[in-house]
Amino acid sequence: MVKDEKISVIETHARLGGDYIPELINMASGLDLMGLWAQQIIGGNVSSVLVKPPEFPRYAAVWYLTDSRSGTVKQYTGVDEARRVPGIMDVHIEIPEQSSFKGTTDSFSRLASCLSVADTPEETIAAVKSAINLLQCEIS
């Protein structure tokens, strides 16, 4: 951004990863990568927070709802049920209802995602798979 001929923000390669990686790290460790990233962009010093690697006392996972069919996304069901699965932190509808859909071919064409956190890897994966299996998408 340029204001009064002064550059105040420049985007570089130092961006956060996709696929909910910052959220997963936060859920598993409490480390707020998005907050640290924002603080660093505006000139803050975050090195004191990153002196040692974070501890990960919990496990986090993301799972995606995909489909090979093409058509119009009519409606989603099971969203509220998926959100109630113990350990589920969030359910995201990635492709809105009434959108054209050509099947899942890349990370931008996933229908939905579920994020979970638990004390063991097995509990984390079980929760996220249970939640994603509750989601249904009508495509016609």
Side-chain angles (χ1 to χ4, degrees):
M1 296 174 53
V2 179
K3 182 178 180 183
D4 299 325
E5 297 185 22
K6 180 179 176 187
I7 297 173
S8 56
V9 176
I10 298 174
E11 181 180 357
T12 70
H13 68 282
R15 66 174 183 85
L16 296 173
D19 291 331
Y20 299 103
I21 291 169
E23 292 89 339
L24 296 170
I25 289 172
N26 184 266
M27 289 187 295
S29 72
L31 184 65
D32 181 9
L33 285 181
M34 285 191 273
L36 291 170
W37 179 74
Q39 186 178 351
Q40 185 177 29
I41 280 186
I42 61 171
N45 183 352
V46 299
S47 61
S48 64
V49 176
L50 302 173
V51 171
K52 64 176 186 152
E55 294 182 18
F56 289 84
R58 303 193 83 196
Y59 297 85
V62 61
W63 215 267
Y64 296 97
L65 180 64
T66 62
D67 202 305
S68 60
R69 297 176 291 166
S70 293
T72 300
V73 175
K74 293 296 183 183
Q75 72 172 350
Y76 291 92
T77 58
V79 176
D80 291 335
E81 294 85 351
R83 287 187 171 125
R84 287 194 292 269
V85 171
I88 293 301
M89 302 301 289
D90 214 341
V91 175
H92 295 275
I93 299 301
E94 309 287 351
I95 306 291
E97 292 177 352
Q98 306 311 313
S99 295
S100 176
F101 181 69
K102 296 183 185 206
T104 303
T105 58
D106 57 28
S107 61
F108 298 104
S109 58
R110 297 167 177 151
L111 291 164
S113 60
C114 295
L115 284 75
S116 68
V117 66
D119 293 329
T120 69
E122 296 80 14
E123 291 171 328
T124 305
I125 296 298
V128 78
K129 283 184 173 183
S130 293
I132 210 77
N133 287 334
L134 290 169
L135 295 178
Q136 298 294 316
C137 181
E138 180 186 340
I139 300 171
S140 62

